Amino acid sequence: MSRAVEESNRRMLRVRDRMDRCYAQPSDLAALARSVHVSRTYLIRAFRATFGETPHQYLRRRRVERSMDLLRETDRGVTEICMAVGFTSLGTFSRTFRDIVGESPTDYRRRVGRLPVPTCFAKSWLRPSPFGEASGDVAE
Amino acid sequence: MFTAITQSQIYVLDQDEARTFYVDVLGLDLHTDTDLGLMRWLTVTAPGEPGRQILLEKPGPPSMDESTAEQVRELVTKGAMGGWLMLTTDDCHATYEKLLAKGVEFTDEPTEKPYGVDCGLRDPFGNRIRFGQLYTPSG
């Protein structure tokens, strides 16, 4: 039983890693499911059981987190950043950003500047969370 | 005053597989591989840096009960176990290409950062390993 859980965890982790790498591409759950030899329905259920949210919710947060990074670390425009992280409309991006972060991309950029920590650390800890721990706030 | 970090530890699920991955694939040096009877002491070091060993430890009895060991194994495979490593390389891009050709699973391609070039990979169990070419040792 336990080994089956480990095998499933590892598959779901592969899927999550793939989303981490390919977040800017159009979401294709069927292809993700095929890459770990499970059905689309099984993928959604197993991913949620493993990580507490659906692949779609994770990908949304991942894209928003990447946009937060670009807002902090670059001077690129909001529309350009929206497209760069995989959103196809500025309206959807702004609404999703506000839902998840609680403020607009422009306000976020104004409030939070560059951070003096390794990117991998910022990536894991600044990613907005559905579990309530990370609000995107940064101590001054 | 403390003067060095000499040993650290991460959990692996199979020590034969771990030895193959860390030594043959990643290219770390095998420091010690001894069956103590009660456990197998398996440590590796960065090439040329024998002063700091990484213990590749298998969770299980008697150090922890079976059900705890199962929980640890599940966390490792979810990528949620605490231990992770950051290694230094003299050429991040070349190391990346070499390991990619060996089938290593990468989480991040080499990326330019203010502190250097770094990238990330998974070991066969789900542990997070990073390596980079850092501009300052404290990275």
Side-chain angles (χ1 to χ4, degrees), chain A residues 6-125:
Chain A
E6 288 166 18
E7 177 54 31
S8 172
N9 284 349
R10 203 58 188 89
R11 283 183 185 187
M12 294 307 119
L13 185 59
R14 284 200 176 92
V15 167
R16 203 184 70 178
D17 284 344
R18 187 177 289 254
M19 284 196 283
D20 279 345
R21 287 193 306 269
C22 307
Y23 61 90
Q25 293 167 17
S27 163
D28 186 348
L29 276 184
L32 282 174
R34 271 198 307 279
S35 74
V36 291
H37 313 293
V38 298
S39 75
R40 188 176 175 280
T41 316
Y42 179 88
L43 170 67
I44 294 170
R45 202 171 54 231
F47 192 96
R48 186 174 198 162
T50 308
F51 298 118
E53 62 187 327
T54 64
H56 177 70
Q57 286 167 329
Y58 182 80
L59 181 61
R60 247 167 57 115
R61 288 199 302 119
R62 169 65 175 169
R63 286 175 170 169
V64 167
E65 178 273 327
R66 287 291 75 205
S67 75
M68 292 164 80
D69 182 74
L70 292 173
L71 288 163
R72 283 195 312 271
E73 309 292 335
T74 73
D75 298 322
R76 294 164 74 179
V78 173
T79 308
E80 194 191 336
I81 289 174
C82 150
M83 302 299 167
V85 300
F87 286 93
T88 48
S89 102
L90 188 57
T92 309
F93 171 62
S94 301
R95 196 164 51 245
T96 308
F97 193 96
R98 188 180 280 279
D99 281 352
I100 290 179
V101 184
E103 62 192 325
S104 73
T106 314
D107 288 346
Y108 176 77
R109 168 173 267 171
R110 199 171 296 135
R111 189 171 59 80
V112 183
R114 284 170 200 252
L115 295 174
V117 295
T119 313
C120 59
F121 181 84
K123 248 183 205 175
S124 349
W125 284 99

Side-chain angles (χ1 to χ4, degrees), chain A residues 2-3 5-7 9-10 13-14 16-17 20-21 49-51 62 73 117-120 123-124, chain B residues 13 70 73-74 76-79 84 105-108 113-115 118 122-126 128 130 139:
Chain A
S2 155
R3 294 299 179 272
V5 172
E6 288 166 18
E7 177 54 31
N9 284 349
R10 203 58 188 89
L13 185 59
R14 284 200 176 92
R16 203 184 70 178
D17 284 344
D20 279 345
R21 287 193 306 269
T50 308
F51 298 118
R62 169 65 175 169
E73 309 292 335
V117 295
T119 313
C120 59
K123 248 183 205 175
S124 349
Chain B
L13 305 192
E70 275 189 21
R73 295 175 66 100
E74 288 182 17
V76 169
T77 51
K78 275 191 195 190
W84 63 285
E105 281 179 52
F106 277 86
T107 54
D108 291 298
K113 306 281 171 59
Y115 46 85
D118 82 341
R122 295 258 180 228
D123 81 357
F125 317 106
R128 188 159 59 114
R130 298 194 73 83

